[in-house]
Amino acid sequence: MEWKLTREPLASVATDAIIVFHSKERESTQGMAREIDEALGFRISSLITAGEITGKLGEVTQLHNWGKIPSGRVIVVGLGEGDQTDLHQFRHAIAAASRAAKQKGLKSLGIGCPSSIIDRYNAVDAVQAIVEGIELGTYEHQKYQSETKKRELKSVLISIPQLNEQAAQAGIERGQIFARATNFARYLSHEPANLLTPQQFVDHAKQVAEKRGLDMEVLDESRLADLGMQALLSVARGSEAGARMIVLSYRGAPESTEVLGLVGKGVTFDSGGLQLKPSPFMLDMKEDMAGAAAVLAAMDAIGELRPHSNVLAVIPVCENMVNGQAYRPGDVIRSFSGKTIEVAHTDAEGRIILADAISYAKRKGATRLVDVATLTGAVVVALGHEATGMMGNDEEWADEVKSAARIAGERMWELPMYKEYGIYVESEIADVKNEGGSPAGCIQGGLFLQAFAEETPWVHLDIAGSATAPRESGIFAKGATGVAVRTLIQLAVRFG
């Protein structure tokens, strides 16, 4: 998509459509919308008076120009409460408008930034939100139909009469990088498991490393065995695809010993193992590597942005399948850390492979950790698809991750890690067990992982709900969302 800036007012811009905004508390059009309204003979105002345009967040109304302005159409999108609208809601409103334009087959858009946003946020963040809203809102998942009709929005012109051009240009560049990375994670997460095996995921990682100049190490099964990573190897035993551990390193602050460690769960297909999932729950298990996708996509963006920070990514990839070699309930596994794990349930495999990955990230020098994983169905019960479940062992580090998420516009909710919950992962025969029944299921996953993070400041992000959108809404197409990518990028920038 091509992006350009102009000092011309929207009323003078010649595109297929222009986007203007209206808020619920406004009884008439304001700012740029007023100028357009006057040019159209107050048709927008008439619809507001009639109650057909209400300003509800994400409401989209399309009008033709009746030969009154250069652009072919006007798209009026609701901003909700206006002065209360934050960048998260702003992105979603823009996404709804741009998706409507794309569905009509339009190729070019003009858009400005409402004064309510300009007054509350800096120009870089405001323009970045515009770019992300359109790039994310018009994204389509890869399809494998023999005949597809692909509609594509090709260009966007941003009118910035009252903004600094250098700041606006920086917002465009950042928005493109953040959105491109998110869409890359969406693509990976949505790929069928037969087209994205562990080895094919490794191939994608190699392409990112080569493109961005990242250091890369891939541990194959022989090397994993030499290192004693029986946790990862045990989960992979039931699959012919085997296991790999991908290690990517970005050194943007070589004078510093501080290293941000990102760990992503990469189960490219999860059958549940011997304790097989019910068939309705197995269909979408190609997306059980969304955490790995988020980490890889974030590293792609970090390599492009080049922040003043050091970032290490550790990504374990495998399948959880069933054959005569598959690991069993009741097995005891020795992990890379030396801790032993009692397998209480073979469908709680993600935390097992993350145990080795977290320990290895610490061995490789990570001083602060974030793991991202589609870990538990329990987090979907607790938070639905709207927010990511978050846990951690260090309040200051958790606050830093929450701040990055807030800036990125991704919702996270911190869950308690009370010591009393520890009883669920206590084992009578091993150092820890991987599952303790249905109570506090999401927290159990966090407590298990905490045993391997130990004293290193660490945050766990359970994205089992937020990794998937059940319906088209705002910046989300139905399916994989690419959640956590923008938070991880923002965190790497702030880490510097």
Side-chain angles (χ1 to χ4, degrees), residues 56 89 183 207 214 222 257 268 375 394 426:
K56 179 182 176 182
Q89 296 166 318
N183 287 338
Q207 292 173 9
L214 306 177
S222 175
T257 58
T268 59
L375 207 72
D394 183 277
E426 288 180 2

Side-chain angles (χ1 to χ4, degrees), residues 183-219:
N183 287 338
F184 178 40
R186 287 171 163 179
Y187 159 74
L188 291 173
S189 300
H190 211 71
E191 278 291 89
N194 65 319
L195 301 180
L196 190 65
T197 63
Q199 182 55 50
Q200 287 165 320
F201 195 97
V202 170
D203 294 340
H204 280 289
K206 287 180 178 177
Q207 292 173 9
V208 169
E210 291 172 3
K211 181 170 59 175
R212 304 302 180 201
L214 306 177
D215 293 332
M216 181 174 180
E217 177 185 21
V218 180
L219 309 181

Side-chain angles (χ1 to χ4, degrees), residues 232-282:
L232 173 55
L233 289 171
S234 293
V235 172
R237 275 208 318 258
S239 170
E240 294 181 0
R244 300 288 186 272
M245 184 84 82
I246 301 165
V247 183
L248 297 169
S249 182
Y250 165 76
R251 297 287 293 179
E255 77 287 354
S256 174
T257 58
E258 290 293 309
V259 178
L260 170 61
L262 306 179
V263 179
K265 172 189 170 184
V267 179
T268 59
F269 189 80
D270 178 19
S271 71
L274 287 175
Q275 287 163 291
L276 205 65
K277 290 179 183 289
S279 57
F281 297 102
M282 205 186 297

Side-chain angles (χ1 to χ4, degrees), residues 233-241 319-327:
L233 289 171
S234 293
V235 172
R237 275 208 318 258
S239 170
E240 294 181 0
E319 295 177 329
N320 184 23
M321 301 289 280
V322 180
N323 66 15
Q325 301 299 315
Y327 79 131

Side-chain angles (χ1 to χ4, degrees), residues 50-63:
E52 293 187 39
I53 294 178
T54 68
K56 179 182 176 182
L57 184 67
E59 173 192 70
V60 175
T61 307
Q62 297 192 45
L63 295 84

Side-chain angles (χ1 to χ4, degrees), residues 338-354:
K339 288 186 171 73
T340 53
I341 301 167
E342 179 189 359
V343 180
H345 205 298
T346 62
D347 195 24
E349 85 297 329
R351 66 200 68 180
I352 295 178
I353 71 171
L354 288 173

